[in-house]
Structure formats: C-alpha cells, structure tokens
Amino acid sequence: MRIERLCIIGVGLIGGSLARALRANDAVGEVVGCSRSAEHLQQAVDLGVIDRYDTDPAQAVAGADLVLVAVPMGAMEAVFKQIRPHLAPDAVITDVGSAKGAVVDAAQKAFGGVPANLVPGHPIAGTERSGVAASFAELFRQRRVILTPLAHTDAEAVERVRGLWETAGAGVVEMGVEHHDRVLAATSHLPHILAYATVDSLARLHEHDEIFQYAAGGFRDFTRIAGSDPVMWRDICLANREAILEMIAHFQVDLTALTEAIQARDGERLVEIFSRAKRARDEHAPR
C-alpha cells in the first residue's frame, strides 16, 4: 500500500510516529503537516517527519489522498468543519481519537452526516511523552489498532486505513462504536484517571516530598501514565463520559469491599481478592 500525499492534522506522538513508520516502509510520497503552531511544524520538518506544512487545515488537506486527524477530542468538530469543503473527492479520512462515539457525533455535526469515506480509528499505543520530538517509527509495532466503521462506511476506505496501520506494524481489528467506548473506558480511561487521582492525592499530603522521594518501582510503574497530556485526557473524559462514569462506579464498589475487608481485619477476604486479581493478570498479561 502506498499513499501519495498524506495530510496529518496534529503532528504529535501518534501522527509523527505513523509518518516515520510509513517513511521507513517507503509507503508514502509526501507528508503534509498541520497544527496551530508554525514553530512546532518547523520542528517536524527539521526532524524529517513531514515534508512541508500549513497552519490552515483547509490548505493542508488540498490534494491529499488520505487525511489523518490526530487532534484532541474537543477539536474534532472544528477541524472537520474546516476541511469539509476542501477535501479531494476520493480522499479517505481517519482519526486516532480515544472515544469513537464522540468522533461520530462530531462528524455528523460538521458534515451533516458521517461521510462514507470517514473510517474512525484508534491505535492502542502511546507513551506518557507527547509531541513530535517523542515520535518513533516502532511505536505501533505489534500493537493493536481498532477501527469502528459504520454500516455505510466505504469498504475500500476501510481497507486503505487497515493497510495504513498494518504497514506501520500494527494488528488491526474492528468493533462497534459503543462497544469500543465501553472497552476503552475500562482498559485505558479508568487506569489513567486512577493514576492522575493517586498522584494528585499524594502530592497534597503534608509528607509529599518524602512520599515521592522514597517511592519504589511499583509506584513509578503505576503512576507513569499520570505524566500524559492533561488536556488530551480532559477531552477524553468528557467525550466518553457515560462509559467512564459507569466504570468509576464499578470500581468504587470494589474499592469499598477492599476497605471493609481491611477494617474488619479479614485477611482471608484480602487474599481472595488479591489472588483473583493475580490470576487474571497472569492469564491476560502480554507475554
């Protein structure tokens, strides 16, 4: 698969890493970047991630055969509105948003209906670092990308987006929009919220300096994702609000059960909970 002109709106970790991966596999001709910051985009040019840039999305998408929208969830609708009149007739659009229901809603508002050439997508990959300087070609290797096409989505467009991610080294699966948002609320969104909440809570303790000074590796591993972009995670929480609230409520019930077991000095119950968790982790952890 080869893309003659790829436009990336939002040249950060995800968009930049995809461009690097496609270049490494000689799968792209020209890469055009777009964001609000010309300085940021010039950095992407200097790093060899993109060939040229435009800060105006309408100009950036001109002549592109594939457009990747990699902006925060809250900016999706505005970007769709800006690019709508300027897309090539056969251009394929995809995104990397973490809440697919919100992307579909944004497209409906911007286009007056979800275009058949829009293939909602979500790479399950990333680091706590952000920005194009953090991008690297191997980010998607042996990772999963979820596509959530609708019933009327063009099959050829889906295959082009599938090929895009497979060329970058990812395995591609498909699922429904609502199902995706429920699964990601549990596997990604809730853990990020818990990491942010844990660090914020401990940072406000009187002994916070000692707490962070003597934190062991487990604490660093668990809270690493609290170093992610706060604006991006604000948008994700608001975009996938209902599913996230459901998962928080579920977790609160289980946290209450743990609290009660500790209060009651019920060691047997604690071992039962911890053992069940260990079995699940051992069974499902990546090898």
Side-chain angles (χ1 to χ4, degrees), residues 269-285 287:
R269 175 64 174 150
L270 291 173
V271 169
E272 177 188 343
I273 294 171
F274 295 160
S275 297
R276 186 171 65 233
K278 184 181 185 307
R279 285 194 302 272
R281 176 67 171 77
D282 291 345
E283 180 180 352
H284 297 293
R287 298 285 187 247

Side-chain angles (χ1 to χ4, degrees), residues 61-83:
V61 301
D65 48 331
L66 198 146
V67 177
L68 178 79
V69 182
V71 299
M73 297 297 306
M76 285 282 182
E77 182 181 344
V79 168
F80 286 155
K81 285 180 177 177
Q82 288 175 292
I83 68 175

Side-chain angles (χ1 to χ4, degrees), residues 7-287:
C7 176
I8 301 176
I9 303 178
V11 190
L13 171 67
I14 299 298
S17 294
L18 179 61
R20 289 182 186 274
L22 295 177
R23 286 193 186 282
N25 287 280
D26 194 27
V28 66
E30 183 182 39
V31 181
V32 182
C34 180
S35 78
R36 291 177 297 181
S37 169
E39 181 180 356
H40 170 84
L41 291 167
Q42 185 58 53
Q43 181 187 27
V45 172
D46 295 341
L47 291 169
V49 175
I50 62 176
D51 296 297
R52 60 182 178 87
Y53 65 83
D54 200 303
T55 56
D56 180 359
Q59 297 297 321
V61 301
D65 48 331
L66 198 146
V67 177
L68 178 79
V69 182
V71 299
M73 297 297 306
M76 285 282 182
E77 182 181 344
V79 168
F80 286 155
K81 285 180 177 177
Q82 288 175 292
I83 68 175
R84 180 186 60 189
H86 306 280
L87 293 164
D90 58 348
V92 174
I93 317 161
T94 190
D95 76 293
V96 298
S98 186
K100 305 323 303 176
V103 172
V104 170
D105 288 344
Q108 288 175 331
K109 293 174 182 176
F111 292 98
V114 182
N117 60 337
L118 171 63
V119 183
H122 180 206
I124 312 301
T127 72
E128 71 277 16
R129 300 172 63 199
S130 60
V132 68
S135 64
F136 58 103
E138 298 77 22
L139 178 62
F140 308 108
R141 191 171 296 170
Q142 297 182 331
R143 301 295 185 92
R144 288 193 175 184
V145 172
I146 302 173
L147 303 183
T148 61
L150 305 182
H152 68 279
T153 305
D154 181 72
E156 184 176 344
V158 174
E159 288 309 304
R160 283 185 62 77
V161 175
R162 175 183 289 274
L164 174 87
W165 290 112
E166 288 178 344
T167 300
V172 180
V173 298
E174 295 182 24
M175 64 177 64
V177 169
E178 184 177 347
H179 183 58
H180 166 278
D181 287 356
R182 283 180 52 81
V183 168
L184 269 294
T187 60
S188 174
H189 304 167
L190 179 63
H192 275 80
I193 290 168
L194 296 180
Y196 278 120
T198 299
V199 173
D200 182 58
S201 179
L202 296 181
R204 289 183 288 109
L205 291 176
H206 178 69
E207 307 89 347
H208 66 273
D209 286 339
E210 287 186 309
I211 288 171
F212 290 109
Q213 182 179 354
Y214 296 111
F219 177 83
R220 290 192 296 272
D221 291 343
F222 171 67
T223 60
R224 175 186 58 81
I225 53 178
S228 302
D229 182 1
V231 172
M232 178 181 75
W233 280 98
R234 175 204 65 190
D235 285 356
I236 289 171
C237 286
L238 297 178
N240 201 23
R241 177 176 174 271
E242 296 303 324
I244 289 173
L245 287 174
E246 182 180 340
M247 291 303 162
I248 291 175
H250 176 76
F251 182 79
Q252 285 174 324
V253 170
D254 290 340
L255 188 60
T256 297
L258 269 172
T259 302
E260 292 172 349
I262 294 171
Q263 287 175 334
R265 294 184 172 87
D266 189 346
E268 184 176 338
R269 175 64 174 150
L270 291 173
V271 169
E272 177 188 343
I273 294 171
F274 295 160
S275 297
R276 186 171 65 233
K278 184 181 185 307
R279 285 194 302 272
R281 176 67 171 77
D282 291 345
E283 180 180 352
H284 297 293
R287 298 285 187 247

